[in-house]
């Protein structure tokens, strides 16, 4: 069941990425495409899921994938759902909704203990710096809420603080849920073995 779920995550992300390349055609720009947090987090989660089909993957790596995908889904539904991010419908639905849900469900079904959840925040921070440095150089920002040309850097700061809070709370929640559920499962297995 878990391996099937992981393979589904990989195949869905792969299909969405191929779909984007085909549908966008000449409009597909790899440098911009791979500057979306959504794309980076989905590709990361897909690779982690595929590796998990064939061999164990570090709980820390899995937890990071869960955090990034959970945040992708939440930020999309809270900040981007009604904004045209120029993503064709199928890919939009898969990358922002279906895969985030599946990755979170997979974590809850196969929880693991993690430590140092705050280290997961280093990638989103690096992404923020990359985006705010690259944006003025290229004149392009992946998300409207990160574009200071619309409402200034004050609005960008507030938006990024909101997203940072979401990341922090979710990182703690992913680690806490993994630890609690893994402990409960371990106790249940020990109890069953003792009977």
């Amino acid at each position: 069941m878990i391996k099937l779920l992981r393979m589904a995550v990989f195949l869905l992300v792969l299909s969405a990425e191929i779909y984007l390349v085909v549908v966008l055609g000449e409009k597909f720009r790899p440098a911009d495409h791979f500057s979306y947090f959504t794309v980076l987090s989905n590709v990361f989660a897909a690779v982690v899921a595929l590796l998990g089909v064939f061999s164990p993957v570090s709980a820390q790596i899995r937890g990071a994938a869960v955090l990034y995908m959970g945040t992708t889904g939440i930020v999309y539904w809270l900040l981007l759902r009604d904004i045209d991010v120029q993503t064709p419908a199928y890919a939009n639905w898969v990358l922002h909704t279906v895969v985030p849900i599946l990755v979170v469900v997979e974590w809850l079904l196969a929880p693991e203990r993690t430590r140092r959840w705050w280290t997961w925040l280093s990638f989103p921070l690096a992404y923020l710096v990359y985006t705010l440095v690259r944006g003025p150089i290229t004149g392009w920002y992946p998300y409207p809420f990160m574009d200071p040309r619309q409402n200034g850097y004050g609005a960008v700061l507030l938006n990024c603080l909101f997203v940072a809070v979401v990341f922090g709370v979710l990182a703690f929640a992913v680690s806490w849920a993994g630890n609690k559920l893994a402990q409960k499962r371990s106790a249940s297995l020990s109890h069953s073995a003792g009977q």
Side-chain angles (χ1 to χ4, degrees):
M1 166 74 175
I2 297 299
K3 288 187 176 183
L4 286 175
L5 194 53
R6 290 172 179 168
M7 186 56 78
V9 166
F10 172 75
L11 292 174
L12 281 166
V13 173
L14 180 64
S15 71
E17 287 295 304
I18 291 171
Y19 179 82
L20 281 168
V21 171
V22 171
V23 170
L24 293 176
E26 293 180 2
K27 294 180 182 176
F28 182 80
R29 293 182 171 80
D32 288 346
H33 180 71
F34 289 102
S35 290
Y36 282 102
F37 187 85
T38 294
V39 172
L40 296 174
S41 60
N42 270 273
V43 169
F44 177 65
V47 170
V48 169
L50 182 62
L51 291 173
V53 170
F54 301 104
S55 63
V57 176
S58 157
Q60 286 297 120
I61 299 293
R62 285 186 62 225
V66 175
L67 169 64
Y68 305 151
M69 291 309 301
T71 306
T72 292
I74 289 171
V75 169
Y76 172 76
W77 282 96
L78 293 179
L79 295 177
L80 299 169
R81 182 177 47 148
D82 297 323
I83 296 172
D84 180 14
V85 290
Q86 299 179 342
T87 304
Y90 171 74
N92 194 34
W93 179 247
V94 167
L95 300 177
H96 288 117
T97 304
V98 177
V99 173
I101 289 171
L102 291 179
V103 170
V104 170
V105 166
E106 188 269 344
W107 179 252
L108 297 175
L109 292 176
E112 291 187 87
R113 290 189 172 110
T114 58
R115 297 177 183 173
R116 301 182 309 277
W117 55 266
W118 54 89
T119 61
W120 297 336
L121 304 177
S122 57
F123 171 65
L125 180 59
Y127 175 80
L128 174 64
V129 171
Y130 163 77
T131 301
L132 294 180
V133 168
R134 182 179 187 266
I137 295 169
T138 62
W140 181 85
Y141 292 84
Y143 302 105
F145 70 87
M146 298 178 84
D147 188 347
R149 296 172 300 182
Q150 294 184 8
N151 297 309
Y153 278 99
V156 170
L157 176 63
L158 288 176
N159 289 330
C160 290
L161 284 174
F162 170 75
V163 173
V165 168
V166 170
F167 265 113
V169 169
L170 273 183
F172 175 79
V174 167
S175 181
W176 181 85
N179 291 337
K180 286 293 183 187
L181 291 172
Q183 180 181 15
K184 186 176 179 181
R185 187 176 67 172
S186 178
S188 176
L189 290 173
S190 296
H191 179 71
S192 297
Q195 290 183 340

